[in-house]
Amino acid sequence: MKSNSNCQVSVIIPCYNDHKYIQEAVNSINNQTHKNVEIIIIDDGSDSTTHNVLKTLEQENLTIIYQENSGPSSARNTGIKQAKGDYILTLDADDFFDSVFISKALDYLTLNNKVGLVSCWIKTFNDEGIMEMFKPGGGDLETLILGNGASGNYLFRKKCWLDVGGYDENMRKGYEDWEFNISVVKAGWEIKIIEEYLFNYRKKSKSRNSEADKFHKYELWRYIYKKHKDLWNTYHELMIDNVFLQMEALEMGSQNLRKTIDYKLGKMFLMPFRFIKKRLL
């Protein structure tokens, strides 16, 4: 097998107030078996504590770019514009990769010129240890239109980024990685998933991803579906089925809630107040 040692990888790390974890993220790149890397940290309008920590990160292959808070898409685009490598690794500042990820991902990219993006299985963890293990499946457009098939941290060809016009900077509330993946596959590239747990995702009590799932999920879905409305035309039956399955699941959940003791007790407790409200009206 041809050596990939000459392949330069530009590691793009957006950082917003992640002073506690940024060193661990950088260490995970320093410890990679593939050594031909540059690290570009984009400080996306962080607080002074994070600024001070970033100043201590001094090493030959590391560059720090400062910008006003503009969101992860903008931060990644800013970093990739400065990247010297033909291969881009995205890494959030509070997560990290196992040491062999870049080397194994490069093998897939250099051996198959149709593969544009490589991800892997995911370990989710918190301060107490590993919580869950996920196996993203990658997939074609028929799969991706229903949900993301890769993590937001992966290795891809810089040409993929150029082909799709970069990350969508309108998506400041989340899911920009899912939209990017859809765009990459629409541009004719394939996604490959390494079937090993090589990425470590930190589960925090409050994170941008959890906020997106709780408060912006349907808004973001709507944006993605409108942007890629050509896929709606192609896969409309599949997407209609998926919408009704979700509606059915919500209805079943609501019915099960009504059967619970807590719900019945709550309804009994509120009954006098509803009576008073009706009398007042």
Side-chain angles (χ1 to χ4, degrees):
M1 181 182 296
K2 184 179 178 180
S3 172
N4 296 321
S5 60
N6 291 328
C7 297
Q8 185 173 25
V9 175
S10 298
V11 183
I12 309 301
I13 308 179
C15 182
Y16 177 68
N17 295 343
D18 274 319
H19 60 276
K20 291 182 180 179
Y21 312 114
I22 183 64
Q23 182 68 68
E24 187 173 20
V26 170
N27 288 345
S28 81
I29 302 305
N30 291 338
N31 294 331
Q32 291 292 310
T33 56
H34 182 84
K35 298 301 182 183
N36 191 359
V37 299
E38 66 166 345
I39 302 172
I40 303 174
I41 298 174
I42 305 87
D43 180 4
D44 191 35
S46 295
D47 55 27
S48 58
T49 303
T50 303
H51 278 299
N52 291 333
V53 170
L54 290 176
K55 289 177 182 177
T56 68
L57 303 178
E58 295 183 359
Q59 57 186 64
E60 190 174 328
N61 64 337
L62 188 146
T63 301
I64 300 175
I65 300 173
Y66 297 92
Q67 67 175 33
E68 294 183 3
N69 182 254
S70 304
S73 289
S74 171
R76 287 176 183 148
N77 287 339
T78 296
I80 295 171
K81 287 173 185 175
Q82 301 299 318
K84 298 174 183 175
D86 291 328
Y87 301 93
I88 305 297
L89 180 73
T90 52
L91 175 60
D92 291 339
D94 54 348
D95 302 324
F96 63 92
F97 282 103
D98 285 6
S99 63
V100 295
F101 176 77
I102 292 180
S103 178
K104 291 194 174 188
L106 274 175
D107 285 343
Y108 285 106
L109 290 170
T110 55
L111 288 174
N112 189 338
N113 58 15
K114 293 182 179 179
V115 174
L117 184 153
V118 181
S119 187
C120 61
W121 290 350
I122 303 166
K123 291 175 282 190
T124 299
F125 71 99
N126 60 14
D127 292 340
E128 298 178 357
I130 295 175
M131 298 173 63
E132 297 176 271
M133 313 281 270
F134 290 108
K135 296 181 178 181
D140 53 17
L141 289 173
E142 186 173 352
T143 303
L144 286 173
I145 196 62
L146 299 181
N148 202 358
S151 75
N153 299 265
Y154 34 53
L155 186 71
F156 58 90
R157 302 177 192 273
K158 189 174 183 179
K159 190 175 187 312
C160 291
W161 179 81
L162 292 169
D163 285 350
V164 305
Y167 285 91
D168 189 333
E169 296 188 13
N170 293 317
M171 301 190 69
R172 293 192 60 171
K173 296 178 181 177
Y175 292 10
E176 72 287 335
D177 51 327
W178 177 21
E179 193 282 322
F180 182 79
N181 295 346
I182 291 173
S183 296
V184 166
V185 176
K186 282 180 68 175
W189 297 100
E190 296 177 4
I191 292 177
K192 175 65 181 178
I193 304 294
I194 301 173
E195 296 182 348
E196 297 180 53
Y197 295 102
L198 302 178
F199 177 63
N200 302 272
Y201 173 77
R202 189 183 306 273
K203 189 80 170 179
K204 295 185 287 191
S205 57
K206 186 177 181 180
S207 68
R208 183 169 169 274
N209 287 340
S210 63
E211 294 292 295
D213 288 337
K214 287 180 182 178
F215 304 115
H216 308 296
K217 180 177 182 179
Y218 297 107
E219 173 191 349
L220 293 168
W221 276 8
R222 189 181 300 113
Y223 180 87
I224 290 173
Y225 287 167
K226 284 184 176 180
K227 181 173 181 178
H228 298 284
K229 58 186 177 183
D230 54 322
L231 296 183
W232 171 265
N233 295 332
T234 305
Y235 302 110
H236 62 277
E237 290 188 9
L238 175 68
M239 296 173 72
I240 289 171
D241 288 343
N242 184 58
V243 168
F244 278 96
L245 282 172
Q246 291 190 51
M247 290 172 61
E248 184 179 357
L250 288 170
E251 187 173 329
M252 290 294 294
S254 178
Q255 291 176 1
N256 291 335
L257 175 63
R258 291 190 179 95
K259 294 176 183 178
T260 64
I261 297 295
D262 288 345
Y263 178 86
K264 292 176 181 178
L265 289 173
K267 188 176 181 180
M268 290 174 60
F269 176 77
L270 291 173
M271 194 175 296
F273 297 97
R274 288 174 178 156
F275 175 77
I276 294 171
K277 181 179 179 181
K278 286 181 181 179
R279 298 287 291 181
L280 291 174
L281 294 175

